[in-house]
Amino acid sequence: MTHHILIVDDDPHIRDLLAFALGRAGMSVAEAGDGEAALAAVEQDVPDLMILDINMPRLDGLDLCRRLRASGGAQARLPILFLSSRDDEIDRIVGIEIGGDDYVVKPFSPREVVARVGAILKRGVPAPPPMPATVIRYGRLALDIDAWEARVDAEPIATTATEFQLLALLATMPSKVFSRDAIIDRLHGPGFAMTDRTVDSHVRNLRAKFARAGLDDLVETRSGVGYRLGRCG
């Protein structure tokens, strides 16, 4: 299957560079020069992944990401790879905390961007749990693997692709404590460049979303070790 990627950057040279690299990797590409054009493109046809620059006129990348994540439906689940000249760790963390899946800093290697895009797209549905059902239930938590839907009781909770994958990983083995490195390896593959702070940000996002639905014990922290699923009671 050919994946469709939307490149959003106000620099046409960067769009051309990425379009060429992604095209060589067998992906189809659409382009947008600012956030408003990208929003219109997504509303017309949701891509498989968006490469999104932060610093843009009219509607910057962070605000666009916030609007998409708040929209519900397929747009809210759209994987987003942030692309920016901002190299401070706090900016990378902000991008992840508002719903980004990954972050690449300019100047970048096109091969690295293609590799990160491929890693996000290849996550797909996590390995099924050792049970015939495609719904994982634990306490008040339910994860519909086929529908990519998380619920507390009967209430759907909007999650990004990365957040759902992380939660599904914990839920398939609820008694196991996963180190941050193990989480990165399971979601991306060994050797993938992601910081522990990024994993922590995804966990904070999940906790905040489920706490608003009344589930305050979604993920348990084992100090100095890692994370495991909480009681979900």
Side-chain angles (χ1 to χ4, degrees):
M1 181 180 67
T2 299
H3 291 291
H4 182 57
I5 311 300
L6 177 60
I7 304 171
V8 187
D9 197 298
D10 60 339
D11 186 334
H13 172 71
I14 288 179
R15 297 200 305 271
D16 290 345
L17 184 66
L18 289 175
F20 178 76
L22 291 165
R24 290 195 62 181
M27 304 179 197
S28 67
V29 173
E31 301 178 21
D34 60 62
E36 290 186 359
L39 183 60
V42 171
E43 289 175 345
Q44 183 175 1
D45 182 23
V46 180
D48 295 308
L49 181 142
M50 176 189 289
I51 298 176
L52 179 59
D53 185 33
I54 287 183
N55 297 311
M56 292 186 300
R58 302 176 70 183
L59 179 65
D60 69 31
L62 294 178
D63 286 338
L64 174 57
C65 180
R66 291 187 182 98
R67 289 177 65 168
L68 291 172
R69 293 303 184 230
S71 65
Q75 297 179 17
R77 297 190 297 271
L78 171 62
I80 294 176
L81 171 65
F82 276 116
L83 190 67
S84 178
S85 56
R86 298 180 179 180
D87 57 1
D88 288 341
E89 184 181 33
I90 187 62
D91 290 316
R92 297 196 295 271
I93 296 302
V94 168
I96 297 299
E97 288 186 339
I98 65 171
D101 291 272
D102 203 354
Y103 199 112
V104 174
V105 177
K106 300 176 184 177
F108 57 82
S109 160
R111 293 180 62 184
E112 179 188 2
V113 175
V114 171
R116 287 180 178 269
V117 167
I120 295 172
L121 294 173
K122 286 178 181 177
R123 291 173 198 169
V125 178
M131 55 195 308
T134 58
V135 176
I136 303 173
R137 301 184 186 277
Y138 192 83
R140 297 171 58 203
L141 173 69
L143 299 178
D144 188 328
I145 302 301
D146 289 339
W148 283 66
E149 184 177 72
R151 296 188 299 271
V152 174
D153 300 327
E155 179 181 352
I157 307 297
T159 61
T160 68
T162 302
E163 290 166 359
F164 185 86
Q165 294 282 27
L166 195 161
L167 187 54
L169 171 64
L170 299 181
T172 55
M173 290 179 277
S175 63
K176 179 178 175 61
V177 179
F178 289 88
S179 69
R180 292 168 178 83
D181 286 343
I183 290 172
I184 293 169
D185 288 348
R186 293 293 188 100
L187 297 186
H188 299 278
F192 191 84
M194 176 184 283
T195 67
D196 290 351
R197 289 283 301 278
T198 300
V199 175
D200 295 343
S201 294
H202 287 309
V203 170
R204 280 198 300 272
N205 287 350
L206 283 168
R207 283 172 169 161
K209 289 178 178 181
F210 282 80
R212 287 194 289 270
L215 191 63
D216 296 318
D217 56 354
L218 178 71
V219 179
E220 177 184 330
T221 300
R222 286 298 181 94
S223 181
V225 182
Y227 297 109
R228 76 173 182 182
L229 198 66
R231 292 187 300 110
C232 299

